[in-house]
Amino acid sequence: MKKIFFLIFISLSLWQCTTSEKQDLPNAGEIIIAADESLQPIVDAEIMSYNAHYPKAKLHVVYVPEQKAMALMMSDSANIAIVTREATANEKEVYTTNNIPYLPAKMALDGVALITNLSSDIKQLTVNELKAMFEGTSRANIKLVFDNSSSSNLNYMIQRLGIKDVKKANIFAANGNKDVIDYIKKNTNAVGIIGGNWISDIDDSKSQNFINSVSVVGISNLDKPTANDFYTPTTASLKARKYPFERKVILHTKKGYGLTSAFIRFCCAYIGQLVVEKSGLLPYYVYDREIILEKKPIGKLQ
């Protein structure tokens, strides 16, 4: 009899554990996504595509600076963080401590784009010329405009250019990537730094309005480039690995089930990668497209 009561107690305990947290499903769940604001166009496109296939799935997204997005995911306030970097050593330690495998999902290759006013004389820059502007040794009158003070674009540039003292740069913090574009449209003495996916989708009217209202600066990694050595963050230049300021789009999570894992798989699988390609970015995974041509006689005309 005691054995029967023990089995019933264990069964009830297991039932309580499995029902205490609502288990979402791939096609009908509810999750929170924290994403870097510089990635909003591509994240919006992926969510729209996922909802087209699974309309009952509720994907709530909040756009915040990259560090905040990771903090929300690490504290379980968000299911997924979509950012442009891998986890730091301290963040990886949280995975290790909780016996969670760290499996970052790489979705796309984006570029950090530099934009100027249509009337600006800055149409092309070398990497070293831009570094001199950050160091305050060249064109100190030009404002370097970022989306916010905690911008992933700013962090990327500091690391990529090896800037030791950012205080020497004439930096101006806007209120998001769209605000950067609006500022550049009105000011000739500034260079805006935004996520390339804001201006990469040639089929999106909003993206085209942005790109038609500013100039995208060509960048060269050479000290003495020719006219053909400057590149903008197009799909072709990213694919050829010619654009100097490329970065990955990475999805992080601590949960490996339900809608969370389903959305991550979707973004990195065939349809999600087509969304990346259509948005003008470079898909991280390349899927072969098979075209079958069947030859049949047309027959005689009657």
Side-chain angles (χ1 to χ4, degrees):
M1 181 64 70
K2 289 183 179 180
K3 185 176 181 180
I4 294 175
F5 278 117
F6 177 76
L7 292 174
I8 293 174
F9 174 78
I10 293 297
S11 298
L12 288 173
S13 298
L14 291 173
W15 180 82
Q16 287 177 341
C17 289
T18 56
T19 56
S20 60
E21 180 180 352
K22 184 179 179 181
Q23 298 293 306
D24 55 59
L25 301 172
N27 61 345
E30 187 168 359
I31 62 171
I32 297 175
I33 300 170
D36 179 6
E37 191 267 347
S38 72
L39 301 174
Q40 182 173 346
I42 183 60
V43 174
D44 282 349
E46 291 287 359
I47 290 175
M48 185 181 300
S49 181
Y50 193 88
N51 279 143
H53 289 80
Y54 308 107
K56 293 183 179 180
K58 296 181 180 179
L59 306 171
H60 305 288
V61 60
V62 54
Y63 291 104
V64 292
E66 185 171 75
Q67 190 65 23
K68 179 66 174 178
M70 286 296 289
L72 288 172
M73 187 275 297
M74 298 300 292
S75 65
D76 295 322
S77 297
N79 302 83
I80 299 172
I82 305 180
V83 295
T84 64
R85 64 168 177 83
E86 295 202 12
T88 63
N90 288 337
E91 289 165 347
K92 289 179 181 178
E93 184 64 28
V94 175
Y95 283 87
T96 303
T97 302
N98 292 278
N99 295 317
I100 301 172
Y102 175 60
L103 301 171
K106 300 175 179 67
M107 182 180 79
L109 200 63
D110 186 19
V112 177
L114 277 68
I115 58 174
T116 56
N117 187 279
L118 292 174
S119 299
S120 172
D121 64 336
I122 301 178
K123 304 298 181 185
Q124 296 176 330
L125 286 171
T126 67
V127 171
N128 283 338
E129 286 173 340
L130 182 62
K131 182 177 181 179
M133 292 171 68
F134 269 87
E135 293 174 337
T137 59
S138 174
R139 307 196 72 155
N141 63 312
I142 299 296
K143 287 184 178 179
L144 301 172
V145 187
F146 288 87
D147 45 325
N148 59 71
S149 58
S150 301
S151 167
S152 64
N153 298 323
L154 175 58
N155 293 334
Y156 173 88
M157 282 298 179
I158 291 173
Q159 294 178 16
R160 173 65 176 80
L161 299 175
I163 305 301
K164 293 183 171 37
D165 186 4
V166 74
K167 293 180 181 178
K168 294 180 180 180
N170 187 10
I171 291 177
F172 176 79
N175 187 28
N177 283 257
K178 183 180 181 300
D179 201 41
V180 174
I181 297 170
D182 290 337
Y183 184 89
I184 294 300
K185 287 162 61 176
K186 300 173 184 176
N187 295 273
T188 57
N189 64 331
V191 174
I193 296 91
I194 62 173
N197 64 113
W198 279 81
I199 55 173
S200 61
D201 191 342
I202 61 174
D203 296 322
D204 180 71
S205 58
K206 186 182 294 185
S207 179
Q208 282 305 292
N209 286 335
F210 287 153
I211 197 171
N212 291 333
S213 62
V214 296
S215 294
V216 182
V217 180
I219 305 296
S220 176
N221 210 20
L222 303 177
D223 290 333
K224 296 180 180 180
T226 66
N228 295 325
D229 294 323
F230 291 91
Y231 299 92
T232 57
T234 63
T235 305
S237 63
L238 289 171
K239 186 175 183 179
R241 310 305 292 270
K242 297 286 189 180
Y243 188 66
F245 300 139
E246 64 177 35
R247 61 180 184 175
K248 298 181 181 70
V249 180
I250 306 175
L251 291 82
H252 300 267
T253 188
K254 289 163 59 186
K255 303 179 184 295
Y257 57 83
L259 180 55
T260 296
S261 59
F263 179 71
I264 292 175
R265 286 197 304 271
F266 178 88
C267 292
C268 299
Y270 182 69
I271 297 177
Q273 293 294 279
L274 287 180
V275 174
V276 170
E277 186 176 40
K278 185 266 176 192
S279 298
L281 304 184
L282 183 66
Y284 197 83
Y285 301 97
V286 179
Y287 292 88
D288 294 330
R289 300 181 186 180
E290 185 177 1
I291 300 176
I292 300 175
L293 298 177
E294 187 175 358
K295 295 182 179 181
K296 287 185 178 180
I298 297 176
K300 294 182 179 180
L301 294 175
Q302 300 296 327

